[in-house]
C-alpha cells in the first residue's frame, strides 16, 4: 500500500550571513553594556581592598622560631631542631618574627637583632616548616607572588 501523500519539502538552507535583524538582536544593547561595565567595576573595587588587606596581613603575620610546641629546642646551623645546649646551635628566638622581617632576610638582609649565622640558621628552620606547624601559613603566604 502506498499513500498518495507527497514527501515533505525541506526548507531552503539559511543564508551564510545573518540578516540585519538577527545581528542587531545578537549585539548587546548600550544599556546592557553599561550594566556589565558597572558589574566589572564593582568587582575590581571590592577585590583591590581584599588584596591590600591580604598583603598587609602577610607582612604582619608572625613566625615563631621554633614553634611553641618545641620551644625548649635549639636551632642547629642547618635549621634542624636539636636539644637545648647543643654546641654550635642557637637558642630559640625570644619573640616571633614578623612576615616582613622574614621576607627582607630572605632577600639578603638579616633578621632583627640577629647576626648573619643565626639569621641563616633561623631561615633554614623557617624554610623547613610544614603544614600544621605554627608559622607555616605565614611563610607560605610570603612565597606567593603578588600582582
Amino acid at each position: 500500500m502506498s499513500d498518495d501523500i507527497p514527501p515533505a519539502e525541506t526548507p531552503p538552507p539559511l543564508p551564510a550571513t545573518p540578516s540585519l535583524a538577527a545581528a542587531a538582536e545578537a549585539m548587546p544593547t548600550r544599556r546592557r553594556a553599561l550594566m556589565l561595565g558597572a558589574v566589572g567595576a564593582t568587582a575590581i573595587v571590592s577585590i583591590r581592598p581584599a588584596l591590600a588587606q591580604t598583603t598587609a596581613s602577610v607582612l604582619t603575620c608572625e613566625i615563631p622560631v621554633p614553634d611553641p610546641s618545641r620551644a625548649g629546642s635549639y636551632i642547629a646551623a642547618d635549621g634542624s631542631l636539636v636539644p637545648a645546649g647543643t654546641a654550635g646551635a642557637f637558642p630559640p628566638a625570644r619573640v616571633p618574627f614578623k612576615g616582613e622581617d622574614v621576607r627582607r632576610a630572605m632577600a639578603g638582609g638579616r633578621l632583627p637583632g640577629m647576626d648573619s649565622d643565626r639569621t641563616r640558621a633561623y631561615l633554614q628552620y623557617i624554610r623547613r616548616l610544614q603544614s600544621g606547624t605554627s608559622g607555616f601559613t605565614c611563610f607560605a603566604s610570603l612565597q606567593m607572588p603578588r600582582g
Side-chain angles (χ1 to χ4, degrees):
M1 266 179 95
S2 76
D3 292 329
D4 290 332
I5 301 174
E9 292 184 25
T10 57
L14 294 173
T17 57
S19 68
L20 246 27
E25 286 179 21
M27 295 175 69
T29 64
R30 182 178 210 174
R31 182 177 181 192
R32 178 140 175 92
L34 288 173
M35 287 183 353
L36 289 173
V39 169
T42 303
I44 290 169
V45 168
S46 52
I47 289 172
R48 284 192 188 263
L51 290 175
Q53 184 178 8
T54 301
T55 301
S57 66
V58 165
L59 300 179
T60 60
C61 64
E62 295 183 338
I63 302 174
V65 176
D67 68 302
S69 66
R70 301 178 200 146
S73 299
Y74 275 39
I75 311 296
D78 67 355
S80 61
L81 293 174
V82 294
T86 301
F90 302 99
R94 294 178 191 244
V95 295
F97 296 108
K98 299 282 184 201
E100 175 68 13
D101 297 331
V102 172
R103 186 184 63 78
R104 265 193 244 119
M106 291 176 69
R110 289 187 184 167
L111 291 168
M114 306 294 151
D115 63 16
S116 60
D117 291 335
R118 200 166 180 177
T119 294
R120 211 174 1 263
Y122 285 0
L123 287 178
Q124 288 295 347
Y125 169 81
I126 291 169
R127 285 185 182 108
R128 291 177 168 203
L129 289 175
Q130 296 180 354
S131 181
T133 308
S134 184
F136 172 77
T137 304
C138 183
F139 174 66
S141 61
L142 291 173
Q143 304 301 306
M144 302 297 285
R146 288 189 204 85

